[in-house]
Amino acid sequence: MKQLVKPLLAVLVLTATSAAFAQQAPKPEQIIKWRQSVYQVLAWNNGRIKASVEGTYNKDEVIRAANAIAAIANSGLGALYPAGTETGKGWRETTVKPELFTDTAKAGEAARKFVTESNELAKVAATGDAAAVKVAFGKLGASCKGCHDDFRKKD
């Protein structure tokens, strides 16, 4: 009898824990808010780099912004696109096209390109070479545009 108590207790604890996590799953609206917030942070950091490459170059500012972009790119953004978030409202109505959820091969390729270009920008930013940063920043922008063209509704 004592041999059954510990395994039974373990099963009960796991079941209760699983139920608690299931009850705490974020609602689609919350996930959409997180997704929209992430892209606002990306836009802010892109703006910091753009201001530097088009104006007075500030190596430290570019490095900080490029590292922030790379960190976000590598954070697993795909988790912000679960089924059930194709439509809905976060801070505002989502602008993601339903095709992002159905053409997963194309969406995955766009995500990989974004990660690659983000990492390259961070690497180039560390060199302090303003001309090379401008080229890498252009490639990052092209990866963003490609995804927007394919998977974002026009505002």
Side-chain angles (χ1 to χ4, degrees):
M1 182 78 163
K2 285 184 181 182
Q3 294 171 337
L4 291 176
V5 173
K6 285 185 182 180
L8 183 58
L9 184 57
V11 169
L12 289 173
V13 169
L14 286 174
T15 303
T17 304
S18 296
F21 282 125
Q23 291 173 354
Q24 296 174 0
K27 294 180 180 180
E29 303 84 36
Q30 182 61 55
I31 295 171
I32 294 169
K33 280 184 179 181
W34 291 335
R35 185 166 70 210
Q36 291 170 342
S37 297
V38 164
Y39 288 105
Q40 287 300 307
V41 173
L42 286 170
W44 174 62
N45 281 288
N46 275 303
R48 294 165 64 195
I49 295 171
K50 183 178 181 184
S52 194
V53 298
E54 291 181 353
T56 303
Y57 191 78
N58 181 326
K59 177 184 174 186
D60 293 333
E61 182 74 1
V62 170
I63 289 171
R64 283 190 295 271
N67 286 339
I69 292 167
I72 292 169
N74 288 284
S75 69
L77 290 176
L80 295 175
Y81 292 91
T85 64
E86 303 88 328
T87 60
K89 187 173 184 176
W91 301 111
R92 63 186 183 293
E93 200 63 37
T94 186
T95 57
V96 68
K97 289 181 180 178
E99 293 83 358
L100 184 128
F101 298 87
T102 57
D103 193 348
T104 55
K106 191 172 186 178
E109 181 56 34
R112 283 187 290 282
K113 187 169 184 176
F114 175 64
V115 170
T116 298
E117 298 303 342
S118 296
N119 290 336
E120 183 62 21
L121 176 61
K123 187 168 78 173
V124 171
T127 70
D129 182 341
V133 166
K134 191 169 188 172
V135 170
F137 184 60
K139 289 179 180 180
L140 174 66
S143 77
C144 294
K145 182 181 181 325
C147 190
H148 285 204
D149 289 348
D150 292 336
F151 300 115
R152 186 174 185 210
K153 296 174 192 170
K154 306 298 179 229
D155 293 332

